[in-house]
Structures are given as structure tokens and as C-alpha cells.
């Protein structure tokens, strides 16, 4: 028992001695390790040529043997690494076996700064890839690297600079017994690009997975999550090292991009329009199957969502020696305004990034040491929607263009598409440099006008083929500068087309018909532009030429046109643009209008495509001039207009002949017209208000309106001061050829669908040599029934009363009656003129009727009854001064009555009674042949009955008597004088009705 206890005491003593010695060693090592460490660092500095320093180095045995260095730094000629604290933790059990095995490494506030040579990265990769020499030092099977608040500032020989700050890293390495390893990393920090701080993170797993068939080591990357700023992606790939291959390495796999901004990182994207820059700033849900090596990059499959479309295709970089980014992507359907909002008038500002792109900007000279990147990008869409327009098989190619002598490079865009059966091709060149020059050429061919009109409702086309060319040049990086320097030429041609004519209402389907046109040419020369208040304003010359059915319409407009509105409904605006519209009739299709031209000049304004104003308008057509201010716009029934105009015509006969009105003697070359009126109306109505006109020296005032709806409706209220109707109806004898005057039968049933109501007042009316005053003529036409009643007029101290009725069908039936009693014959005879002066009071009445079925039927269609009676009459020769001369022959009464049948007036009760004189007789007045044949018997005291015959023309009758010359010149002239006066009335009525 004592023996056992002695052995236990001995063993305990050995253990205590060893513990004491270990404690003494640790105490000694801790007290003097700084000295030994500094000696070792000095020796290592001499051997490596690097300045290696540490403010303090100590050993810690807490938990595990650890070396702790504070204010540690390693410095070379062009690089410096420092850390506030470095902790190396070793494997205790390995250390007891004589091996130094690194278990973990912590770097607190590490910083590296300096310049990196181009092959430093390759040597670093080779160092880590080389096998471990010897077994004196080896990493643990489970190694952990921790970095807290790290910083880096590294510059390359090619001016590339990498700045990292606030970087935290947690890296764990697990080594398998088979020699492979698995690395799990989580790195976060901030990278500075051109001074702009951008957060980044990198996390995931890398694992060795054997060797390739060529013997290269395989490293798999699993779910590598990469984030930089607002961009993020996830990588799954396999890295292969090929020692014997010129490519050196290969990385193949799949990259899923949640979101990436091409505009932020790639230079070529920043040379595009602002709208496209925004579209490429948000590429989402992209999947790329790729293969990357030292030669180039191949991406056989790409899927990505951009600007509302899903693109699929391929891409890559064929060689790194001369890098060219190639993309060939196609979408099923796209909306143009989603990628290019400028196409619909939305002009966004380009996105603003705090740093330059990582690849060179196109169009700028390469900096020393900078590698240029070319590009060949092809984007397509099976259907490209632009507002309501759909383009088929649309595609655009983006490539680099030529370089000038300054090394500035162009960007070339080429686009093609199909549209409404035709083709569309465009080319655009975006120049390099700060000036940013542009050149665009666009052409379209053989476009179906009817199909285009269905899509673009602003084109009122029913048929035809369209072609056009657009050339545009400008420069500038901003919209304002671009438009200021804009120069553009546009030519559009429509051939064998038809224009849809508007009807009442604004609906497209409501059309009055079509106008066939041979050609329509529209040309624009734009000199500059500006964007203001949501409108694109272009300044230039605007012209068009329309040829249709023997006529040609030309228009020229100079000034600024502003375009706005939405993608589906555009608007045009211009203000006070001087312009000229001319219409010329060039063929016999227009009969009397051939060779005639009309021209409208003025200052034209258009507001919101709804209201056109023409200021200082001058309309010239043969025989008439129109001036004033006119407004054209939209109304409840479609187009509407209003304004104030002055119409002048120095030759209304020319105007009448222009429209085929012949035989209008009253429209002689001496007949002038001046009309000053306010005008208002639309497609179905027109109103002339405050009307002031002068026609043939007659002043007319009042109002007039016409409305076309279910039936035409005319209303007027006109007043004239003096009307000389005798100027309108020539006094010359008209010989009627019944064969030539007979024409096609009338069809006046259209008048049954008209409504006319109005009143005409005339202060003084000269008619058939007579002068009437205060004439009142009311008119009412309803359902083909015309009534003019009551007609009144002052007639030489009396009042003329009348009434007229007409009924219209295929022909017309008419009935009229008038009467006057107590009119002064002396004044009437003086106004009528002639060689005699008749005096007395006259009463006259007539009732006539007839039926007319066509031209040439008057006066043979006249039927009715008539009568006249003169009281206290007198007869006297008229002298040269117009007054009576000699002694007047007086008579108590003179009168007659009769009827009219088929245009022939008969009477057998003519009677004249005077002091010592009586005359009786009768006869026939044939209005058809304008002839008179009457026989009278004159009775005087102490004288036998004297027969007198009155015969010849109604206006140039002759008397024949069987007695002496004295009786012929006295008594024979009495009935002739009466017929001079009454003949004017009868003959004038005949001419008026005819």
C-alpha cells in the first residue's frame, strides 16, 4: 500500500513539475515574445526586401494558441498593407505534433494601397493554386478568415482605380480528407467609383469538384449572390484551369440577373436617347447561359425583360483582343413608347449617374492604356406597337460607325419594319464628341393608305398608296439644343387615292362621300424647333399639292407649327402663319371653270385641330373679291365657321358666266356688288347677320339664314333703299323661237322638301318704267306651296295690292292677282316716257293663272281676266324737255276689260268718253308674238264715224285711219298712248313670269 502511494506521489510530482515548467515557459514567452517576433520580422524584411513592422506582438493561450500583432504593416516600393490588429489562431493539437496549422485569421481595419501591375492578379492566382510545399505549415481542415472594416485603394497602369471601404468579410474554408475544399464567403462593403460610394456584397459557396478531362482543376460556384448598388445577380458556374491551353481558364454556367443597369456601367448605352437610357437602366429577370475563357465570351441563350417586353436570343464577345459586344435579341410584342417615350412627345431627362461608365463612351477618343469596346446589337420585335399603329417584323441594329481624324466615333442605328403592306427603313448616325451631331434618314414605300387610315384616324383616306422620305440633321446633347439646330426635310406622296369627306358629326363613320385624287404631295422644310408647354414646335415651310378630277389645289404656309396631344389623338397648333391656298381647274371636266383659278391669302391660325382662323383674308376668284377675318372650327354638326367679311364684285356677269348662268342680262359687266356682313354657320347652316350690301347702286340691309337638315330651311329679312329692276330685264325685244326654247321637262318636286320664309322691303322700286314705293313682299314656301301675300306697294298716290300662289310638283301651277285704284296717270306717264303725256286717275286689276311643265311655255300658258279704267284723263304731246306741249285733249273716262287665254288677251268693250268725243272698240293683244290688232270707232259731233285700226308690235304699234293727217295725229294717238303705258305693264309681267 505504501509502495503504491509512493509511486503516485512520484507521478504527481512529475506532472506538477511539467506544469510549472510549461507555465514558466509561457510566462517567459509572453514576457519576451515581442523581442523574438521583432527579430524574426527584421530577418524576414531582409530576406523579402519588404518593410515589415508591428508595434507589438504577443502570444495568447486563451482558448487556443494565438499570435496577436497590433499596428501591423507590410510595405513595398508601390504597395502598402496595414492593419490595426492581426490575430492568427493555431491548432493546439497540431502544434503539439510539431505542425503549425492555421485555424483562423482576423484582420481588423486592414488597408491596402498602391499600384497593381497587369500580371499581379495572375501571379496571385498561381500562388494560391500551387501545391503546399512541405508540411511544416498548412491550413487547418477548417479555416476561417474575418475582415473587419477593411479598406483598399488600388490603381492600375491603365488609370483604373479600385477603392473599397467599410468592407466586412466572413470566409470559411472546409477541407475534405480527399484534398478538396469548400469555401463559404460573405463579403460586404462600399466601393468608390470616381469618388461615388456604392455599396456591394458578395456571398455564396465555392467548392472544388475534381479535375477536367484535360487535367485542369474544377471549381464550382454555387448560388453566388452578387450585389452592387441597386443591381443584383446570382451565379452558378464551374471554373476550369487549363495549364496547357492558351485560354488559361474557363468559366461556364448560368447567371440569373434580378436587375441590372446597362446604362450605368456600359458606355455605349449612355450615347442613346434619354428614353432608351431609362429602358436599359432597368433590365430585369435576365437569364444567361454562358461560357467564358481567356479568348472570349459566348452566351448562346439569353432571356431578359426590358421596357415591358420579354427578349430572347444570344450574344457574346468573340475575342478579348478586339472586344465587340454582340447581342441578337427578339421580343414577341413591344410598345415603342415604353422604350422611346420621345416618340409620343414625352421628353424625359437622361438618368443621372454619379460616375462614368466602366467601358469607354462611344464617340470619344480612347485614353492612353484604355481598351475600346465595339458593339453590334440587334433588337427585334415580331409586333411593335406605336400608339394605335402596329409594325410587323420590326428590327434595329446598333453598331459603331466610322472614326474621324480626331478619333471620334459615330454610333449607327439601322431599323426595318413592315407596315400596312409596305416597308419602312431608317438609318440614324449619332456622332461623337460633346457636340453630339445627328443624321437621320427614313423612308417608307408602298403603304396601303386605307389600312393606314384605319389605324391613324387623322388620315382621312379611303384608298391609295403612300410613300415618303425624311432627312434630319442636328446636334446637341440636350433637347433644347437639338431642336434649336434642327434641319429637316419631309416629303410624303399619296397616289391614286381617295379622301373621305366629312359629314355632320365628328364620328369617323359619318361621311358625306369620297373625293378621288390622282396625287397628293406634302413637303416640309423645318429650320428649327423648340419644346415648350408639352408641345413640339417646328418652324419652317409647309406646302402641299393636290390633283383631283381636273383641278389642282396648292397650299403654302410659313411659320411655326406646334404638335402635341396623346399617342392616340394628336393635335396641331399654329398662330398667324402667312399662307396661300390656290385652286386651279385644269381640264374640261369642269366645263366653264376650265382655266379658272381661285386664291386665298391671309394669316392662318389653328388651335387644337378644332378651330382655324384666317386673319386679313383675301379670296380672289374671277368676278369677286372677299376680304375679312374668318374662324373655322368644330360644332355640334361638324365643321363650323364665323367671321366678318367684305365681298366685292365689279363684274357679276363674269361671276354668273363662271358658273354657267347665261342669258342673265341683269348681271351685266356694269353690275357691281359690295357685301359687308357677319357670317356664322357650319356643315348644315349659315347665317348672314348685320348684312350691308350694295348691288347695282342699291343698298340692302338685313339678315339671311339657311339650314340644311331633313329639309332645307331658308329665312330672310331684307330691306333695300332703291331697286332699278329695269336694269335687270333688258328693254330690247326678245324673239322667241319655240323650237329652241322648248327644253327638257321640269321636275320641281325638290321644292316640296324646302321651307322658305322671309320678307323683302323696298323703299323705291323701278319696274317697267314705273316707280313704286314702300314695296312689301312676304314669302312663305311650305310643302311645295308658295304664297306671296299680302303684296303691297305705293303706286302714284295709291296702293297696289297683290297676291301670288304657286304649287310645285313636276311642273308648277300658279295664280296671281293684283289691283290698284286711283293711281296718278300723269306721274306714271312721265316716268314711262314716250311721245305723249297721259293724265287722270287709273284703276287696274288682273287675275292670271297657268300651268308650266318646262321652259319655253310662257306666255302661252297664261289665262285669266283683266280690266282698267281711267277717269278725268287727258292727252298731250310731250316736248323735248319731257313736259307736255300744246293744248291737252281731255276725256272723262277710258277703260276696257277682257280675258287672257293661252297668252292672248281679248277685249270688245274699250270705251273712251270725252267732251264732244267718244271712242269704242276692241281687239286682240297676242303676248306670244308681242303683237296688237285693235279696231276703234271714233264719234264726234258733226263728223261721220271714223274707223281707226291699231296694229303692229305692242311697243311700236301703228294707227291707220281713213281721214286726214290732222285727225290721224290727234285722235289716233290717244289709244296708242294708252297702250304705251299699259303695254309696259303687260309686257313686263310676261318677261318676269317667263
Amino acid at each position: 500500500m505504501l509502495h503504491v502511494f509512493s509511486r503516485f506521489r512520484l507521478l504527481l510530482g512529475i506532472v506538477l513539475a511539467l506544469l510549472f515548467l510549461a507555465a514558466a515557459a509561457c510566462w517567459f514567452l509572453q514576457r519576451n515574445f515581442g523581442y523574438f517576433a521583432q527579430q524574426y520580422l527584421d530577418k524576414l524584411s531582409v530576406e523579402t526586401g519588404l518593410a515589415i513592422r508591428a508595434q507589438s506582438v504577443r502570444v495568447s493561450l486563451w482558448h487556443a494558441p494565438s499570435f496577436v500583432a497590433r499596428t501591423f504593416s507590410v510595405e513595398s516600393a508601390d504597395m502598402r498593407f496595414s492593419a490595426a490588429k492581426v490575430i492568427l489562431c493555431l491548432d493546439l493539437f497540431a502544434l503539439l505534433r510539431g505542425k503549425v496549422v492555421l485555424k483562423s485569421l482576423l484582420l481588423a481595419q486592414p488597408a491596402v494601397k498602391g499600384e497593381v501591375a497587369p500580371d499581379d492578379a495572375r501571379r496571385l492566382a498561381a500562388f494560391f493554386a500551387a501545391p503546399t510545399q512541405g508540411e511544416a505549415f498548412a491550413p487547418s481542415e477548417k479555416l476561417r478568415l474575418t475582415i473587419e472594416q477593411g479598406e483598399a485603394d488600388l490603381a492600375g497602369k491603365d488609370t483604373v482605380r479600385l477603392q473599397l471601404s467599410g468592407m466586412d468579410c466572413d470566409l470559411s474554408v472546409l477541407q475534405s480528407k480527399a484534398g478538396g475544399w469548400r469555401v463559404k464567403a460573405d463579403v460586404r462593403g462600399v466601393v468608390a467609383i470616381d469618388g461615388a460610394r456604392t455599396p456591394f456584397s458578395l456571398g455564396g459557396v465555392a467548392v472544388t469538384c475534381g479535375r477536367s478531362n484535360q487535367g485542369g482543376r474544377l471549381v464550382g460556384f454555387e448560388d453566388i449572390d452578387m450585389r452592387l448598388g441597386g443591381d443584383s445577380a446570382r451565379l452558378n458556374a464551374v471554373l476550369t484551369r487549363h495549364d496547357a491551353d492558351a485560354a488559361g481558364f474557363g468559366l461556364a454556367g448560368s447567371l440569373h440577373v434580378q436587375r441590372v443597369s446597362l446604362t450605368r456601367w456600359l458606355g455605349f448605352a449612355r450615347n442613346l436617347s434619354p428614353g432608351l437610357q431609362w429602358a436599359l437602366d432597368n433590365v430585369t429577370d435576365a437569364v444567361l447561359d454562358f461560357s467564358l475563357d481567356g479568348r472570349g465570351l459566348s452566351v448562346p441563350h439569353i432571356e431578359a425583360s426590358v421596357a415591358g417586353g420579354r427578349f430572347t436570343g444570344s450574344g457574346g464577345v468573340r475575342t478579348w483582343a478586339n472586344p465587340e459586344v454582340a447581342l441578337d435579341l427578339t421580343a414577341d410584342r413591344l410598345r415603342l413608347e415604353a422604350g422611346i417615350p420621345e416618340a409620343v412627345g414625352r421628353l424625359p431627362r437622361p438618368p443621372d449617374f454619379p460616375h462614368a461608365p466602366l467601358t469607354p463612351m462611344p464617340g470619344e477618343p480612347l485614353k492612353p492604356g484604355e481598351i475600346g469596346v465595339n458593339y453590334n446589337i440587334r433588337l427585334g420585335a415580331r409586333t411593335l406597337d406605336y400608339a394605335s399603329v402596329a409594325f410587323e417584323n420590326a428590327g434595329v441594329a446598333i453598331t459603331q460607325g466610322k472614326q474621324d481624324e480626331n478619333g471620334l466615333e459615330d454610333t449607327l442605328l439601322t431599323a426595318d419594319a413592315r407596315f400596312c403592306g409596305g416597308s419602312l427603313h431608317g438609318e440614324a448616325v449619332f456622332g461623337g464628341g460633346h457636340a453630339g451631331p445627328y443624321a437621320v434618314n427614313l423612308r417608307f414605300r408602298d403603304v396601303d393608305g386605307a389600312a393606314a387610315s384605319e389605324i391613324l384616324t387623322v388620315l382621312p383616306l379611303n384608298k391609295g398608296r403612300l410613300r415618303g422620305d425624311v432627312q434630319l440633321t442636328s446636334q446637341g446633347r440636350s433637347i433644347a439644343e437639338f431642336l434649336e439646330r434642327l434641319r429637316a426635310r419631309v416629303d410624303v406622296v399619296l397616289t391614286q387615292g381617295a379622301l373621305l369627306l366629312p359629314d355632320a358629326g365628328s364620328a369617323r363613320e359619318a361621311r358625306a362621300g369620297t373625293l378621288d385624287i390622282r396625287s397628293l404631295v406634302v413637303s416640309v422644310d423645318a429650320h428649327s424647333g423648340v419644346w415648350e408647354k408639352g408641345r413640339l414646335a417646328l418652324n419652317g415651310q409647309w406646302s402641299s399639292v393636290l390633283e383631283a378630277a381636273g383641278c389642282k389645289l396648292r397650299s403654302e404656309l410659313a411659320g411655326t407649327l406646334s404638335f402635341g396631344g396623346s399617342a392616340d389623338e394628336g393635335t396641331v397648333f399654329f398662330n398667324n402663319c402667312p399662307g396661300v391656298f390656290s385652286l386651279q381647274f385644269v381640264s374640261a371636266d369642269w366645263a366653264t371653270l376650265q382655266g379658272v383659278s381661285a386664291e386665298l391669302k391671309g394669316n392662318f391660325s389653328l388651335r387644337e385641330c378644332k378651330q382655324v382662323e384666317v386673319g386679313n383674308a383675301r379670296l380672289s376668284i374671277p368676278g369677286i373679291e372677299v376680304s375679312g377675318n374668318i374662324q373655322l372650327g368644330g360644332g355640334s354638326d361638324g365643321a363650323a365657321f364665323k367671321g366678318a367679311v367684305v365681298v366685292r364684285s365689279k363684274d357679276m356677269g363674269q361671276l354668273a358666266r363662271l358658273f354657267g348662268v347665261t342669258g342673265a342680262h341683269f348681271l351685266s359687266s356694269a353690275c357691281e356688288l359690295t357685301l359687308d356682313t357677319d357670317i356664322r354657320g357650319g356643315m348644315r347652316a349659315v347665317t348672314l347677320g348685320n348684312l350691308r350690301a350694295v348691288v347695282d347702286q342699291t343698298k340692302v340691309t338685313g339678315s339671311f339664314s339657311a339650314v340644311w337638315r331633313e329639309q332645307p330651311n331658308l329665312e330672310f329679312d331684307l330691306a333695300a333703299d332703291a331697286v332699278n329692276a329695269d336694269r335687270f330685264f333688258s328693254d330690247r325685244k326678245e324673239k322667241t323661237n319655240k323650237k329652241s326654247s322648248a327644253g327638257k321637262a321640269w321636275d320641281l318636286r325638290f321644292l316640296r322638301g324646302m321651307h322658305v320664309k322671309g320678307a323683302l322691303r323696298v323703299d323705291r322700286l323701278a319696274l317697267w318704267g314705273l316707280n313704286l314705293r314702300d314695296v312689301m313682299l312676304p314669302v312663305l314656301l311650305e310643302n311645295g306651296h308658295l304664297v306671296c301675300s299680302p303684296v303691297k306697294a305705293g303706286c302714284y298716290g295709291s296702293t297696289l295690292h297683290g297676291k301670288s300662289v304657286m304649287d310645285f310638283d313636276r311642273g308648277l301651277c300658279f295664280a296671281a292677282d293684283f289691283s290698284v285704284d286711283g293711281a296718278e296717270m300723269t306721274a306714271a306717264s312721265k316716268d314711262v316716257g314716250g311721245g305723249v303725256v297721259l293724265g287722270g286717275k287709273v284703276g287696274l286689276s288682273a287675275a292670271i293663272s297657268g300651268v308650266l311643265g318646262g321652259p319655253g311655255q310662257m306666255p302661252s300658258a297664261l289665262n285669266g281676266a283683266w280690266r282698267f279704267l281711267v277717269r278725268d284723263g287727258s292727252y298731250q304731246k310731250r316736248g323735248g324737255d319731257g313736259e307736255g306741249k300744246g293744248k291737252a285733249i281731255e276725256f272723262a273716262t277710258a277703260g276696257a276689260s277682257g280675258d287672257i287665254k293661252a297668252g292672248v288677251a281679248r277685249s270688245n268693250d274699250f270705251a273712251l268718253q270725252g267732251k264732244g268725243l267718244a271712242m269704242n272698240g276692241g281687239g286682240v293683244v297676242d303676248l306670244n308674238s308681242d303683237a296688237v290688232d285693235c279696231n276703234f270707232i271714233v264719234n264726234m259731233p258733226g263728223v261721220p264715224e271714223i274707223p281707226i285700226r291699231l296694229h303692229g308690235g305692242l311697243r311700236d304699234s301703228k294707227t291707220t285711219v281713213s281721214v286726214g293727217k290732222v285727225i290721224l295725229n290727234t285722235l289716233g294717238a290717244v289709244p296708242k298712248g294708252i297702250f304705251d303705258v299699259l303695254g309696259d305693264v303687260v309686257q313686263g309681267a310676261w318677261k318676269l313670269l317667263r
Side-chain angles (χ1 to χ4, degrees), residues 573-629:
F573 170 86
F574 53 88
N575 187 41
N576 285 333
C577 292
V580 179
F581 286 77
S582 61
L583 176 63
Q584 183 179 14
F585 299 93
V586 296
S587 75
D589 296 344
W590 292 88
T592 58
L593 295 179
Q594 182 178 4
V596 174
S597 62
E599 185 177 77
L600 174 63
K601 294 182 178 180
N603 296 326
F604 294 82
S605 301
L606 175 64
R607 292 176 175 84
E608 303 297 340
C609 286
K610 296 178 181 179
Q611 181 173 300
V612 178
E613 296 183 5
V614 187
N616 298 322
R618 295 290 186 275
L619 173 62
S620 302
I621 60 176
I624 193 168
E625 296 280 341
V626 181
S627 61
N629 300 302

Side-chain angles (χ1 to χ4, degrees), residues 428-714:
V429 178
F430 302 99
H434 295 291
Y438 294 79
V440 178
N441 290 321
L442 177 67
R443 69 172 183 266
F444 54 91
R445 295 290 185 270
D446 200 30
V447 174
D448 186 346
S453 180
E454 290 296 327
I455 299 172
L456 301 172
T457 56
V458 294
L459 296 176
L461 301 180
N462 190 40
K463 65 178 181 179
R465 311 302 295 186
L466 285 165
R467 71 175 186 271
D469 294 274
V470 180
Q471 295 87 37
L472 179 153
T473 60
S474 186
Q475 65 182 44
R477 295 293 182 181
S478 66
I479 292 295
E481 184 181 4
F482 173 83
L483 292 175
E484 181 183 1
R485 299 176 179 271
L486 177 68
R487 300 293 184 272
R489 171 76 184 184
V490 180
D491 294 286
V492 179
V493 179
L494 171 69
T495 57
Q496 302 303 317
L499 296 179
L500 291 169
L501 301 179
D503 195 3
S506 58
R508 177 179 174 79
E509 60 272 10
R511 297 289 182 176
T514 60
L515 173 65
D516 291 332
I517 61 175
R518 295 187 178 95
S519 67
L520 172 63
V521 180
V522 179
S523 300
V524 180
D525 276 310
H527 308 312
S528 63
V530 66
W531 179 264
E532 59 182 5
K533 298 180 180 179
R535 296 177 182 272
L536 173 61
L538 296 177
N539 180 38
Q541 302 288 329
W542 315 77
S543 62
S544 67
V545 179
L546 183 150
E547 295 187 21
C551 64
K552 181 181 292 186
L553 175 65
R554 295 178 179 272
S555 67
E556 295 182 2
L557 202 64
T560 300
L561 271 65
S562 299
F563 303 87
S566 64
D568 297 315
E569 182 179 359
T571 60
V572 181
F573 170 86
F574 53 88
N575 187 41
N576 285 333
C577 292
V580 179
F581 286 77
S582 61
L583 176 63
Q584 183 179 14
F585 299 93
V586 296
S587 75
D589 296 344
W590 292 88
T592 58
L593 295 179
Q594 182 178 4
V596 174
S597 62
E599 185 177 77
L600 174 63
K601 294 182 178 180
N603 296 326
F604 294 82
S605 301
L606 175 64
R607 292 176 175 84
E608 303 297 340
C609 286
K610 296 178 181 179
Q611 181 173 300
V612 178
E613 296 183 5
V614 187
N616 298 322
R618 295 290 186 275
L619 173 62
S620 302
I621 60 176
I624 193 168
E625 296 280 341
V626 181
S627 61
N629 300 302
I630 302 174
Q631 293 182 1
L632 303 175
S636 58
D637 289 335
F641 58 87
K642 64 179 181 179
V645 297
V646 177
V647 182
R648 293 183 176 87
S649 174
K650 294 184 177 181
D651 187 353
M652 292 186 65
Q654 181 183 14
L655 181 64
R657 293 188 296 274
L658 181 64
F659 290 96
V661 179
T662 59
H665 311 302
F666 63 93
L667 294 177
S668 65
S669 60
C671 186
E672 299 184 2
L673 166 69
T674 300
L675 172 64
D676 187 350
T677 182
D678 297 332
I679 186 171
R680 179 185 299 270
M683 297 296 294
R684 291 184 174 273
V686 61
T687 299
L688 303 181
N690 196 22
L691 185 151
R692 302 170 301 281
V694 178
V695 183
D696 189 35
Q697 303 177 0
T698 298
K699 296 180 180 180
V700 180
T701 60
S703 63
F704 172 87
S705 66
V707 179
W708 297 269
R709 293 192 185 277
E710 291 77 10
Q711 64 177 13
N713 189 334
L714 306 180

Side-chain angles (χ1 to χ4, degrees), residues 188-528:
R188 301 176 184 275
V190 175
V191 59
I193 306 174
D194 294 338
R197 295 167 56 83
T198 303
F200 74 92
S201 67
L202 177 66
V205 175
V207 57
T208 57
C209 46
R211 293 183 176 274
S212 66
N213 296 332
Q214 292 79 20
R217 180 178 294 176
L218 300 179
V219 178
F221 296 96
E222 301 175 356
D223 293 330
I224 305 299
D225 184 76
M226 300 175 290
R227 300 178 184 272
L228 180 60
D231 298 339
S232 61
R234 187 172 295 272
L235 173 69
N236 285 278
V238 175
L239 174 65
T240 305
R241 179 184 175 193
H242 305 292
D243 295 330
D245 196 332
F249 71 95
L251 181 65
S254 175
L255 180 66
H256 182 196
V257 180
Q258 287 85 21
R259 191 265 183 191
V260 67
S261 170
L262 300 183
T263 313
R264 181 170 187 173
W265 309 116
L266 303 181
F268 83 90
R270 299 203 190 180
N271 210 37
L272 304 176
S273 66
L276 273 176
Q277 291 188 43
W278 280 109
L280 296 180
D281 183 54
N282 189 34
V283 180
T284 61
D285 195 20
V287 178
L288 296 84
D289 296 333
F290 69 93
S291 176
L292 171 70
D293 59 23
R295 296 188 181 91
L297 169 65
S298 173
V299 189
H301 175 74
I302 300 176
E303 294 182 26
S305 296
V306 184
R310 186 67 176 172
F311 286 88
T312 59
S314 60
V317 178
R318 191 177 63 84
T319 173
W320 301 118
N322 185 22
E324 179 182 81
V325 177
L327 288 175
D328 191 350
L329 303 175
T330 302
D332 185 64
R333 196 174 195 107
L334 285 176
R335 293 204 65 84
L336 181 65
E337 53 266 39
I340 309 179
E342 293 89 344
V344 293
R346 297 195 303 268
L347 302 180
R349 297 180 61 85
D352 185 24
F353 299 106
H355 56 79
L358 299 183
T359 62
M361 286 280 291
E364 293 186 357
L366 294 178
K367 299 175 182 179
E370 192 174 46
I371 299 176
V373 178
N374 296 329
Y375 44 94
N376 187 349
I377 301 174
R378 299 180 181 273
L379 305 176
R382 295 176 182 87
T383 301
L384 177 63
D385 295 314
Y386 175 32
S388 58
V389 183
F391 297 95
E392 304 296 331
N393 299 324
V396 60
I398 306 174
T399 60
Q400 70 279 356
K402 298 179 179 180
Q403 287 188 353
D404 61 14
E405 63 275 8
N406 298 319
L408 301 179
E409 184 180 80
D410 297 333
T411 300
L412 176 63
L413 272 72
T414 304
D416 290 279
R418 300 289 300 174
F419 171 62
C420 292
S423 62
L424 180 69
H425 177 79
E427 295 179 352
V429 178
F430 302 99
H434 295 291
Y438 294 79
V440 178
N441 290 321
L442 177 67
R443 69 172 183 266
F444 54 91
R445 295 290 185 270
D446 200 30
V447 174
D448 186 346
S453 180
E454 290 296 327
I455 299 172
L456 301 172
T457 56
V458 294
L459 296 176
L461 301 180
N462 190 40
K463 65 178 181 179
R465 311 302 295 186
L466 285 165
R467 71 175 186 271
D469 294 274
V470 180
Q471 295 87 37
L472 179 153
T473 60
S474 186
Q475 65 182 44
R477 295 293 182 181
S478 66
I479 292 295
E481 184 181 4
F482 173 83
L483 292 175
E484 181 183 1
R485 299 176 179 271
L486 177 68
R487 300 293 184 272
R489 171 76 184 184
V490 180
D491 294 286
V492 179
V493 179
L494 171 69
T495 57
Q496 302 303 317
L499 296 179
L500 291 169
L501 301 179
D503 195 3
S506 58
R508 177 179 174 79
E509 60 272 10
R511 297 289 182 176
T514 60
L515 173 65
D516 291 332
I517 61 175
R518 295 187 178 95
S519 67
L520 172 63
V521 180
V522 179
S523 300
V524 180
D525 276 310
H527 308 312
S528 63

Side-chain angles (χ1 to χ4, degrees), residues 120-198:
D120 284 349
R122 188 180 304 110
R123 291 201 303 266
L124 182 62
F127 172 78
F128 284 106
T132 303
Q133 301 295 329
E135 295 185 353
F137 179 84
S140 169
E141 295 179 355
K142 186 176 182 181
L143 174 65
R144 183 174 184 180
L145 171 64
T146 303
I147 298 177
E148 298 176 351
Q149 295 298 304
E151 294 183 0
D153 187 357
L154 302 175
K157 298 292 185 181
D158 54 358
T159 71
V160 175
R161 188 175 185 182
L162 174 64
Q163 292 179 303
L164 303 177
S165 62
M167 185 175 68
D168 295 327
C169 175
D170 190 356
L171 179 70
S172 61
V173 181
L174 181 60
Q175 186 175 13
S176 67
K177 295 181 179 180
W181 45 265
R182 176 184 179 87
V183 178
K184 183 177 181 180
D186 184 6
V187 181
R188 301 176 184 275
V190 175
V191 59
I193 306 174
D194 294 338
R197 295 167 56 83
T198 303

